Amino acid sequence: MWYWLFKYTVVGPIMVLGYLPRWRGREHLPRTGPFVLAANHTSTIEATVVPLGVPRRVTFVAKRKYYQGGGWRGRFIAWFLTTVGQVPIDPESATSAAPALDAAREVLRAGGVWGVYPEGTRSPDGRMYRGRTGAMRVALPLGVPVIPVAVSGAYGGGPWWTWPRGRSRVRVTYLPPLDTSPWRGREDDPTSWREATDALMARIREVSGQEYADRYPTAEELRARDAR
């Protein structure tokens, strides 16, 4: 109940009025059955605009630090994330990521939609960084569709009234399912996970138009991003 309330009567209308987003390619979203929704990540608003165009419930993971903030704001964010069914994860640790991937498998086995940002964190500078293989570790063995999602106009932007920051309109494009046939029979091979992840990121980049950095962002870059 809380998920749909926040999506359509609280957060959703605010995002639509503030950012005037446009959604394209919704015909590519499966109406039934499990699938993975994999998007690029340049802004915090993507956590809302990406699932807002999907008529089904989307479950994302969220960084564990968002559940541990102090004061009323920290408690509210933790309550909000828990209420809408999000899963906490520490992306810096493969060990602590395992429970989140297990939870994602359960979502998909139950016929649900798992949303993920393969880069693992927001871009520090608007470029696309190398994707992490977690999405494909889950999707390939389960044989579920992977829908690439390209978001543009979100980096550095703001609500439309904050000109010039708000002059760019946010566009969300849901692309046709990624062709995973090249990795058929090698679903449990880490090499396949990497190849499929690189193909996924390239497909998103074709539409988002981002410059590509074939590496993970450094800790210094992420600290500078958070300090801005």
Side-chain angles (χ1 to χ4, degrees), residues 59-67 77 81 86-91 100 115 117:
T59 299
F60 280 87
V61 297
K63 291 182 181 179
R64 187 174 300 277
K65 69 178 183 179
Y66 295 142
Y67 291 78
I77 291 174
L81 293 174
Q86 305 309 288
V87 180
I89 180 177
D90 177 2
Y117 303 112

Side-chain angles (χ1 to χ4, degrees), residues 199-218:
L200 170 67
M201 304 310 289
R203 184 70 187 93
I204 295 172
R205 193 167 67 251
E206 289 175 5
V207 178
S208 71
Q210 292 168 274
E211 180 184 345
Y212 183 57
D214 190 15
R215 60 178 178 84
Y216 303 124
T218 66

